Amino acid sequence: MTHEGSRRLYDRALSVMPGGVNSAVRAAIEPYPFFVRKGEGGHVIDADGNRYIDWVMGLGPLLLGHDLPEQVRAAIQRTASEGPMYGTPTPVEVDLAEFVVRHVPSVEKIRFVNSGTEATVSAVRLARGYTGRNKIVVMQGGYHGAQESTLVEGDAENPRPSSAGIPQSFADHTIPVPFNDEDAIRDAFEKHGDDIAAVLTEPILGNYGIVYPEEGYHEFLREITAEHDSLLIFDEVITGFRVGGLGCAQSEFGVTPDLTTFGKIVGGGFPVGAIGGRAEIVEHFAPSGDVFQAGTFSGHPVTMAAGLETLQFAAENDVYDHVNGLGDRLRNGLTEIVADQAPSYTVTGTDSMFKVIFTREGPSGVHSTPNTESGDNSEQGPDSLEEQCEAGCRQEPTCPRYDYCPKNAADVKNAETERWRRIFWGQMKEQEVFLSQNQFECQFVSYGHTEEDVERTLEAYKEAL
Ligand SMILES: *Cc1c(COP(=O)(O)O)cnc(C)c1O
């Protein structure tokens, strides 16, 4: 496998772009990323002609894979050829808005923007404007794009910016808490209840391993926010139209957030974001309300056409059966492969999301160090794997791996992230399997993937683990 073409491109890129890339995570691959020439179904082909099974899928947006169905492609090309955009409304944005409102029960009104980041920026501003409050509760390890209010680390007592260039005063209004930790949320509301505008969370942590919520966690968030007149915002930029099908993750969990942010799939592979929710709240956006929000490219006709045709195609075909079925096959197969290495690995994910987390010696969070009579058995793991979560970790207390599986970001961070990135990723690439750039980013099944892709990928994992 040669990478001469990619090396030369990276050499040029380093001279004109910071770190040689346009988005930080792309440079995580060492010594340099491969440059993609084109996609084909569930595969990508790089600048040197190497072909890989692609489980990155644009980091989430490509539900249908790289070859778009004819009707989707035709709509995109027709819309683009009629003129890129106009600065005045077009019919297709109404069609897509109606589609989302029809399928996602919590969404009565929606505004389209151009990225997931823009969606969460606007949702946070809307929540603050609507409630007249300042503070936002976020989950440690949650990702809401590159925005000032959520690029915050530390804990509730000690929030600080996680990037240079962000004033501490932004972090002062953000309260980071561990995912799956009800007490931490109760504490936050006890101390700051009357100044908390919203709790903002991904329904499933999708940018930090994949961490599933414990039973009842989202219901708890729903109740405590309502009690304090705060908003519950689900960031469904990854999970929207991927988990729970067209109803999104909120329908899977049966929880109704006040606001939802979308991105990725809803633009069918083009730049997109959206903020949807209760009409009475969303109406606070200008011009109907006083929360300013605007964008030259918002509701871009090509993006709207791509999103609409993608979702309509999914509604009329076996897209979710296909991707979720292959997702189950992958997670089941991976669970079998790592069975004799418990607790070294945890297979995570649901629907068409999957990941293997290198938990190794067992995480060291609140739940994690199992106490047995023989002392700390975290290295040897459970005696039996009977009744374990089969197609991805569901945080079932009855699962024998429960004490070892990651419950929050700290647990994932304690996993062997360097081994994953520096050794394992390359071993998979050598076997022509393209996984996401590090231990934290999610991997995705698309409609373009086949059973053969799954079998070959499982063989590669067997070889590499
Ligand atoms: C990708 C992502 C974002 C940011 O979206 P961009 O389009 O990259 O700005 C926000 N929230 C979540 C949950 C994401 O996965």
Side-chain angles (χ1 to χ4, degrees):
M1 193 178 275
T2 144
H3 298 294
E4 198 42 40
S6 286
R7 197 192 57 75
R8 263 184 277 125
L9 282 163
Y10 192 59
D11 196 11
R12 283 170 54 201
L14 278 174
S15 303
V16 286
M17 301 193 285
V21 291
N22 280 307
S23 186
V25 68
R26 291 176 203 166
I29 293 168
E30 290 179 10
Y32 49 86
F34 60 76
F35 283 63
V36 171
R37 203 177 73 219
K38 64 171 183 169
E40 247 177 48
H43 296 195
V44 286
I45 294 144
D46 74 11
D48 295 280
N50 303 305
R51 171 188 279 270
Y52 310 88
I53 304 175
D54 175 17
W55 300 110
V56 175
M57 280 293 145
L59 287 166
L62 304 179
L63 178 63
L64 302 180
H66 295 290
D67 293 327
L68 298 177
E70 184 48 38
Q71 69 198 69
V72 180
R73 191 176 352 184
I76 293 168
Q77 288 172 344
R78 191 174 55 246
T79 311
S81 69
E82 285 166 353
M85 47 83 72
Y86 309 98
T88 193
T90 57
V92 66
E93 61 198 283
V94 186
D95 293 337
L96 183 56
E98 285 175 349
F99 187 100
V100 176
V101 167
R102 203 158 56 237
H103 287 90
V104 187
S106 74
V107 175
E108 297 171 349
K109 289 204 168 174
I110 187 164
R111 171 152 297 174
F112 289 104
V113 293
N114 304 291
S115 69
T117 297
E118 215 184 304
T120 67
V121 167
S122 303
V124 165
R125 187 181 308 139
L126 180 62
R128 285 173 168 156
Y130 175 78
T131 58
R133 300 173 176 184
N134 290 312
K135 292 192 189 299
I136 303 288
V137 176
V138 298
M139 304 298 155
Q140 292 162 353
Y143 182 66
H144 307 290
Q147 73 135 311
E148 268 61 7
S149 288
T150 62
L151 286 178
V152 171
E153 58 189 20
D155 55 27
E157 304 305 317
N158 235 326
R160 51 184 188 273
S162 63
S163 161
I166 299 178
Q168 175 63 36
S169 48
F170 277 98
D172 289 343
H173 293 306
T174 303
I175 306 175
V177 299
F179 194 61
N180 277 329
D181 185 340
E182 299 188 4
D183 287 340
I185 299 270
R186 270 191 213 99
D187 274 359
F189 274 98
E190 237 159 69
K191 293 206 177 84
H192 307 287
D194 55 4
D195 199 27
I196 295 177
V199 172
L200 168 62
T201 184
E202 298 166 75
I204 297 168
L205 290 191
N207 289 280
Y208 219 86
I210 301 174
V211 182
Y212 205 78
E214 297 211 66
E215 177 90 43
Y217 183 62
H218 288 318
E219 288 85 345
F220 165 77
L221 294 180
R222 179 62 286 180
E223 272 168 36
I224 196 163
T225 46
E227 233 169 75
H228 292 266
D229 296 319
S230 297
L231 302 185
L232 176 62
I233 310 176
F234 270 3
D235 182 351
E236 293 229 41
V237 171
I238 278 191
T239 52
F241 305 106
R242 182 171 291 284
V243 175
L246 296 173
C248 305
Q250 52 196 265
S251 73
E252 187 124 314
F253 293 118
V255 169
T256 307
D258 300 294
L259 292 175
T260 303
T261 51
F262 299 95
K264 300 195 170 122
I265 288 177
V266 80
F270 289 82
V272 79
I275 311 93
R278 270 206 337 266
E280 173 238 339
I281 303 171
V282 181
E283 283 285 344
H284 278 69
F285 274 142
S288 43
D290 55 2
V291 176
F292 187 71
Q293 204 294 317
T296 301
F297 292 106
S298 294
H300 194 285
V302 180
T303 300
M304 297 292 101
L308 179 66
E309 292 294 331
T310 295
L311 296 180
Q312 249 161 17
F313 184 87
E316 290 160 10
N317 295 275
D318 61 340
V319 171
Y320 291 111
D321 285 346
H322 182 91
V323 297
N324 297 348
L326 292 186
D328 274 342
R329 287 275 298 275
L330 268 169
R331 289 184 300 269
N332 272 320
L334 290 168
T335 305
E336 262 167 48
I337 289 168
V338 303
D340 54 355
Q341 305 192 61
S344 302
Y345 304 103
T346 304
V347 178
T348 61
T350 182
D351 296 56
S352 56
M353 298 164 63
F354 76 100
K355 195 83 186 175
V356 178
I357 299 179
F358 286 22
T359 27
R360 189 49 78 187
E361 289 175 14
S364 61
V366 192
H367 310 266
S368 58
T369 313
N371 286 316
T372 62
E373 278 170 20
S374 59
D376 177 14
N377 71 348
S378 62
E379 298 249 14
Q380 84 226 33
D383 296 335
S384 143
L385 291 173
E386 251 174 76
E387 293 186 42
Q388 67 171 329
C389 296
E390 265 176 16
C393 173
R394 292 285 175 286
Q395 313 288 2
E396 290 290 349
T398 53
C399 172
R401 288 172 178 270
Y402 179 75
D403 287 328
Y404 308 89
C405 66
K407 310 281 187 301
N408 55 43
D411 291 344
V412 177
K413 194 169 181 184
N414 285 334
E416 285 195 280
T417 56
E418 284 301 289
R419 182 173 152 246
W420 201 102
R421 184 170 71 89
R422 292 175 185 274
I423 307 288
F424 169 72
W425 186 90
Q427 287 175 328
M428 293 298 280
K429 191 210 66 181
E430 284 303 311
Q431 299 181 83
E432 302 173 332
V433 178
F434 178 28
L435 298 182
S436 53
Q437 286 88 334
N438 56 43
Q439 172 81 87
F440 304 115
E441 315 281 335
C442 184
Q443 292 151 184
F444 303 97
V445 183
S446 80
Y447 197 58
H449 285 110
T450 62
E451 297 200 357
E452 194 200 330
D453 294 331
V454 169
E455 296 312 319
R456 275 186 52 204
T457 299
L458 290 174
E459 285 305 312
Y461 268 97
K462 214 180 279 177
E463 191 69 30
L465 288 180

